[in-house]
Amino acid sequence: MQLSSKSIKGKTAWQCPANIALVKYWGKEAMQKPMNPSLSFTLTDCYTTMGVNYYYDAQQTFHLDFRFNNKSNPAFSERLTRYFKIIAPYMPFLNNTSLKINASNSFPHSAGIASSASSFGALALNLCSIEEAVNGAIYDPGEFFRKASFLARLGSGSAARSVYGGYVLWGATSIDQHSSDEVAVPLSTEISQVFHNLRDSILIVSSAPKPMSSSAGHKLMTDHPYRQARVGQANQNIDHIIKAMQNGKMNDFIEIAEEEALSLHALIQSSSSPVFMVKPNTIAIINHIWNVRKTTGLPVGFTLDAGPNVHVIYPVTIMDKVKAFIEKDLRQYCENGAIIHDKAGGGPVKNE
Ligand code: DP6
């Protein structure tokens, strides 16, 4: 498309939620392509809000002013500068645009929740809105979100999934011909009612910086002795977890989600640079969850990110019972008793 010769300025703002993977993205190829397909659901109350003031003029060069909570943030600004170089070929107008970005998160930094998915999701959505304004064109919604997912992926792999609500698939898989390594797609298959209102209570075991970043962790998969087996496992788990969701099999769903979480940590521990990302309290919580499931039959399970915090997953129908169990048995293991009760949600919202 021909770039405009007129200068154009304006403001956009998006709110984009974090997501939690049930089948994990772990290991990547060049250009942030995943080693295996993954499946997540998008959260509701853990999100990034990002406003962008833009000014496009054919006579000027790219300029970035990034602020987090109205304060400059050199570390993330540097990451963004590298990011904008990568995406410029897909958004040529950026070479002549200045951006003033301000972002904030609904969840405290100390919650230890990775914010790269919600941040790059919000940024990619804003960039697509700016592109529409600068090009004077409105994309159809499918195209808009596909491009947002593509751009978000180039910032942080898991961000590709955050631009959609509900359950989201990312990575080439025989299960869904629309899902690809380039972009995530909302899960299109009919799923049983019991999976419609999933809850996620996030138990904050530690807010200390993690001993290893996700990016470093992905690299460890390149020469991992179990690489091939992991690709097979993830593909099989995608297949099985979607079948469980179609057939209303909550216990199968929980078993697969837990296998994925534990495999992620086992892969880290069996890599060439092993570290413990979990803490003793993480293990104590998991043992309680297994015990309550065994003794009461309640369909409650867990998943983990590459960190110590535990996401307790359960259907809304047993919310009161699970919350009582969390208060009685699990809150004692949380740092300063910190818990965020979140739930699956409808995805990003355009604020401006
Ligand atoms: C364990 O998306 O944070 O949460 O692509 O390097 O930014 P980069 O990594 P990131 O990795 C997320 C890994 C995970 C699993 C998942 O979300 O699927």
Side-chain angles (χ1 to χ4, degrees), residues 21 25-26 28 32 79 116 156-158 161 214-215 218 305:
Y25 147 54
W26 198 241
K28 60 177 152 178
Q32 301 271 101
R79 182 167 172 185
S116 64
S156 176
S158 56
R161 300 184 307 238
S214 290
S215 294
H218 289 294
D305 256 339

Side-chain angles (χ1 to χ4, degrees), residues 25-52:
Y25 147 54
W26 198 241
K28 60 177 152 178
E29 317 288 348
M31 291 301 272
Q32 301 271 101
K33 296 217 181 128
M35 198 180 86
N36 60 265
S38 57
L39 177 78
S40 61
F41 64 90
T42 303
L43 296 173
T44 302
D45 296 328
C46 294
Y47 55 81
T48 295
T49 304
M50 186 182 282
V52 184

